[in-house]
Amino acid sequence: MAPPPLTPADLVFCPAPFGHVPLLDRLAPAAAAGFSAIALQPSDVWTAEAMGRSAAELAARIADAGLTVAEIDCTACWMERQKTGDDSELGKLLRGLTPDKVVATAARIGARSVAAIDLSPTPAPLDEAAEAFAALCDLAAEHGLRAHIEFLPVGGIRNLSEAWAIVREAGRPNGGLTIDAWHFFRSGSTLEELAALPPEHIHAVQLCDAPAEPQADLWAELMSARLLPGEGALDVVGLVRTLDRMGSRAPFGIEVFNSRQQDQTIAQVAQDWAEAGREILERARGNP
């Protein structure tokens, strides 16, 4: 039996800050905190498989915990220009996140979609990016999956406008966007721009917060100083309200990179994330 669809009432536990915690050790804390789903990194699955656990076993354990897999985050080598780069640890990691590997992983673990990022230092020409994204979408569609671009102000696809231009030019019905609150506001994207988009192309949302003034080093803030939703000065409530008014059906992921979490258990972090996420949704929707 297929899992029930995720809705804007559901919270998704995002994986990136917890790559050091084995996948199966995240399930009970996420479920206890009230998350409906988890997102996974490809390496979460690959590491467990290398230790002798099959994808079918992993999927069954996730389902037994009352969770579903929202997405695999992410493929980072889906354009030709991303296949070359420096030989740093990060560069090698990104080049290994190819569409064939990531989509196949998403399919066998039962995810709903795959995310795509671009950490190139300069933007790709629109036609090149759109052609590559269309190919990713087509590969994902073979497995009944969706694909969505997550733009980053520190990457090659820097804001909502650039990401939507690629999705629009690719012209694939399963292609869409990830709306991450930090990336959205720090990139200068606006709620008015967002409200003008077709809601069916919003595939994933990630909530967090930040101070009003950005740090001089955006990459450092991105990776270590994001705040819980409602803890900073970003218009996270306005973001939720805009998505609701548009008719977006995407669930709300919580993704907070903050160095203070290094001293907290994953159970405490999951509880903090879920409480902050629920409070923001309640404020946005006028619930007491």
Side-chain angles (χ1 to χ4, degrees):
M1 179 183 299
L6 295 174
T7 75
D10 292 310
L11 293 179
V12 178
F13 189 72
C14 293
F18 299 102
H20 60 289
V21 178
L23 164 57
L24 295 180
D25 291 347
R26 302 177 206 162
L27 303 183
F35 286 92
S36 301
I38 56 172
L40 299 175
Q41 294 178 304
S43 58
D44 295 330
V45 181
W46 298 341
T47 299
E49 288 176 330
M51 296 176 66
R53 297 188 182 276
S54 69
E57 178 188 356
L58 296 173
R61 293 284 298 274
I62 292 167
D64 288 345
L67 300 166
T68 61
V69 182
E71 66 206 51
I72 294 291
D73 186 4
C74 58
T75 176
C77 190
W78 50 279
M79 287 188 275
E80 189 67 29
R81 68 206 308 266
Q82 297 168 326
K83 295 179 181 179
T84 58
D86 62 61
D87 287 326
S88 66
E89 185 175 345
L90 177 60
K92 292 177 181 178
L93 171 64
L94 296 176
R95 288 196 295 277
L97 297 174
T98 57
D100 56 338
K101 294 179 182 178
V102 175
V103 169
T105 302
R108 66 178 179 265
I109 200 66
R112 289 169 164 80
S113 63
V114 295
I117 66 168
D118 180 23
L119 287 180
S120 303
T122 58
L126 177 56
D127 58 348
E128 177 184 327
E131 181 180 1
F133 186 63
L136 172 61
C137 290
D138 291 345
L139 180 61
E142 293 176 9
H143 299 276
L145 302 171
R146 298 183 295 181
H148 35 103
I149 293 174
E150 180 173 356
F151 57 91
L152 302 88
V154 295
I157 304 172
R158 300 164 295 187
N159 54 46
L160 177 63
S161 176
E162 292 180 1
W164 172 241
I166 296 169
V167 174
R168 184 187 62 238
E169 292 300 312
R172 296 301 192 266
N174 66 326
L177 299 167
T178 298
I179 305 298
D180 175 290
W182 190 91
H183 301 321
F184 183 87
F185 290 109
R186 286 295 190 246
S187 69
S189 301
T190 69
L191 296 177
E192 291 74 20
E193 288 179 288
L194 178 60
L197 301 186
E200 64 270 19
H201 289 288
I202 308 299
H203 292 341
V205 180
Q206 296 172 350
L207 299 182
C208 62
D209 215 325
E213 293 299 319
Q215 293 184 5
D217 185 343
L218 275 184
W219 183 261
E221 181 178 304
L222 163 68
M223 297 303 297
S224 65
R226 291 197 250 179
L227 304 176
L228 294 172
E231 200 174 38
L234 303 184
D235 189 9
V236 185
V237 166
L239 178 61
V240 173
R241 287 175 176 166
T242 299
L243 290 163
D244 282 356
R245 285 195 297 266
M246 292 168 60
S248 168
R249 300 304 300 161
F252 287 90
I254 310 296
E255 182 181 77
V256 180
F257 288 83
N258 192 294
S259 56
R260 71 188 179 200
Q261 293 171 170
Q262 296 173 0
D263 298 323
Q264 297 177 305
T265 65
I266 189 171
Q268 183 60 60
V269 172
Q271 191 65 40
D272 289 347
W273 284 17
E275 289 177 359
R278 284 191 291 264
E279 288 176 8
I280 279 290
L281 296 183
E282 289 170 359
R283 284 173 54 194
R285 293 166 178 166
N287 296 327

